[in-house]
Amino acid sequence: AQKAIDRQIGARGLRAVMEQTMMKIMYVIPSDLSIKKVIIDADENVKKHAADNPDTAGMGSTIVLAWILGQTVHVGWCGDSRAYCYNEKNGLVRLSHDHSYVQGLVDNGTISEDEAFDHPNSNIITRSLGDSGEKAKPEIKDYPIHNGDIFLLCTDGLCGVLRDNEIEEIMSKNHQSVDDCLKALWINGKEVGWTDNVTIELACRLRVLQCFS
């Protein structure tokens, strides 16, 4: 019971550090370099918090973020939390690429994407925040935005229990309402059975305004 309490305290402390770091994003002009710096700063803050608070020792986190600016979305991540884009015309597209042992097996052709989903070592990540032995190495990619795009950011608590085609089907049936879409993803994930901490965020581009002169 005490271990469970310590884990909860550590998780709350880590969440507070992450929230403070993410607040700083509001005051930074998005660019690949600034996004990378924000994630590296978050890594340093997590490590400092762990050093100052022994009850959070060993705690770490993955991170994924999306900056929507004009007609571009800037996506940054470290670990296996994911960014997706759903559009009624193109379906679901994964924007991030997992930093994990299993993703490495997929990349080198050892196993298929389908086999990766149930792989016993799917919990092993190769990059993270808070790793005392290594500095965070975030990956950044930029994508154009189109009318009707819905961006999904989630931890592996969701994509670890629902396959991409299942997420796509849920979003396809509920894409007219972001609230309904979020509720449907949560309900379906809960019905399958959560196996990890779960965070789900959705952002929708309703339309792109064009100016004429």
Side-chain angles (χ1 to χ4, degrees):
Q2 184 59 47
K3 288 184 177 180
I5 293 173
D6 291 342
R7 194 179 302 116
Q8 290 174 5
I9 294 173
R12 285 197 295 269
L14 178 59
R15 188 179 302 113
V17 173
M18 294 300 294
E19 288 174 352
Q20 292 170 10
T21 302
M22 296 306 290
M23 284 294 292
K24 297 178 182 178
I25 293 175
M26 299 171 60
Y27 304 100
V28 180
I29 298 174
S31 71
D32 288 357
L33 289 177
S34 62
I35 293 174
K36 183 176 181 180
K37 184 179 185 305
V38 166
I39 294 177
I40 290 175
D41 286 349
D43 174 55
E44 293 174 352
N45 289 339
V46 169
K47 290 173 180 173
K48 183 178 184 303
H49 182 82
D52 295 342
N53 299 271
D55 56 328
T56 63
M59 298 295 291
S61 178
T62 61
I63 186 172
V64 61
L65 61 89
W67 254 310
I68 299 175
L69 182 67
Q71 297 188 35
T72 301
V73 58
H74 307 266
V75 179
W77 71 98
C78 190
D80 60 355
S81 288
R82 292 180 180 175
Y84 295 89
C85 179
Y86 174 83
N87 189 287
E88 189 176 9
K89 294 181 179 179
N90 302 319
L92 186 72
V93 177
R94 194 187 303 178
L95 305 181
S96 57
H97 193 74
D98 293 354
H99 299 141
S100 68
Y101 169 73
V102 170
Q103 184 63 57
L105 296 180
V106 174
D107 293 344
N108 65 28
T110 302
I111 63 174
S112 66
E113 282 281 1
D114 190 59
E115 292 172 323
F117 185 81
D118 293 318
H119 197 281
N121 293 322
S122 60
N123 64 321
I124 300 176
I125 55 177
T126 55
R127 302 188 199 182
S128 67
L129 304 186
D131 183 350
S132 59
E134 192 169 350
K135 186 176 181 179
K137 297 178 180 178
E139 191 169 349
I140 316 294
K141 285 190 176 181
D142 302 333
Y143 298 92
I145 297 177
H146 304 94
N147 289 335
D149 281 350
I150 301 178
F151 297 100
L152 164 65
L153 306 180
C154 65
T155 60
D156 65 338
L158 179 71
C159 54
V161 298
L162 295 177
R163 297 176 185 270
D164 284 8
N165 65 308
E166 294 173 315
I167 294 175
E168 180 175 18
E169 182 178 359
I170 294 167
M171 296 187 73
S172 175
K173 293 178 179 178
N174 297 276
H175 71 275
Q176 297 294 343
S177 166
V178 174
D179 288 340
D180 289 347
C181 196
L182 179 61
K183 290 176 183 177
L185 288 169
W186 187 268
I187 290 171
N188 278 268
K190 185 176 181 180
E191 287 179 349
V192 174
W194 304 125
T195 58
D196 204 344
N197 295 330
V198 185
T199 300
I200 308 172
E201 297 286 349
L202 291 176
C204 180
R205 166 55 68 92
L206 299 178
R207 61 194 178 104
V208 177
L209 297 178
Q210 293 182 336
C211 298
F212 299 92
S213 58

